[in-house]
Amino acid sequence: RVGEYLKYHSTNWAMMKDLIAADDLAKVNGEPVQYTRESMGLAYGVVMVSLHNAAGDPIGIIAASRDFSSTRGASGRAAVSQVAGALFALIILAGVVLVAIRGFLLRPVAALARGMAALAQGDSTQAVDARGFCEELETVAENYEALRQAASGKDGAA
């Protein structure tokens, strides 16, 4: 007996007693009632629908429950997948940034460094191609070229 109703059939009466109380049955008055509750360490969804005879008089309630642990586990797996995807995207982004920095900043600086090292050793024949450099490094390359021309003019005059 639960409230004013007698159990007629149940596949798991111990679980249903945990999920349905007399107060829950009193809330069923024509419209289906839905709620979630825990039993045996798992979350269950419960739906209760009232039964009526041909005259429209209530004769009982049908209650059904479903274990929600699989959907809750799926949401946890989805969160893990999203974190893994974000980490993968972060690694790809870091790689793209490194390639961009090495190609657009470090390559011109390395070319200028080689030219300056040669000029410091007295070799004024090594030109630096400033095409593709950013504006600031083009200015440095032009100044290097002027310094190299001045150094080669001194070598030719001596």
Side-chain angles (χ1 to χ4, degrees):
R1 177 175 280 281
V2 177
E4 63 184 53
Y5 297 99
L6 293 173
K7 174 187 73 89
Y8 186 68
H9 177 73
S10 176
T11 55
N12 188 344
W13 181 238
M15 180 185 67
M16 292 306 280
K17 283 197 305 188
D18 287 345
L19 296 176
I20 300 172
D23 295 340
D24 298 325
L25 293 172
K27 295 176 186 174
V28 180
N29 55 0
E31 293 296 319
V33 174
Q34 302 174 7
Y35 59 89
T36 59
R37 190 163 289 153
E38 290 208 12
S39 175
M40 298 182 235
L42 298 173
Y44 287 88
V46 178
V47 176
M48 293 186 295
V49 179
S50 62
L51 292 174
H52 300 275
N53 63 12
D57 299 325
I59 58 172
I61 294 175
I62 293 180
S65 66
R66 171 83 179 173
D67 174 12
F68 283 167
S69 62
S70 63
T71 56
R72 293 195 177 174
S75 67
R77 288 188 299 276
V80 169
S81 298
Q82 289 173 347
V83 168
L87 286 175
F88 180 71
L90 186 63
I91 290 169
I92 295 297
L93 182 63
V96 168
V97 168
L98 284 175
V99 167
I101 287 174
R102 291 192 80 196
F104 295 115
L105 184 62
L106 296 181
R107 183 183 53 83
V109 170
L112 284 169
R114 283 192 302 273
M116 291 288 186
L119 192 59
Q121 292 176 357
D123 180 12
S124 60
T125 60
Q126 188 172 354
V128 173
D129 184 16
R131 290 177 296 172
F133 286 15
C134 64
E135 185 178 330
E136 293 81 6
L137 288 178
E138 279 183 7
T139 304
V140 173
E142 289 169 3
N143 290 335
Y144 164 78
E145 194 58 33
L147 185 62
R148 187 181 72 82
Q149 293 293 339
S152 67
K154 287 182 185 177
D155 289 341

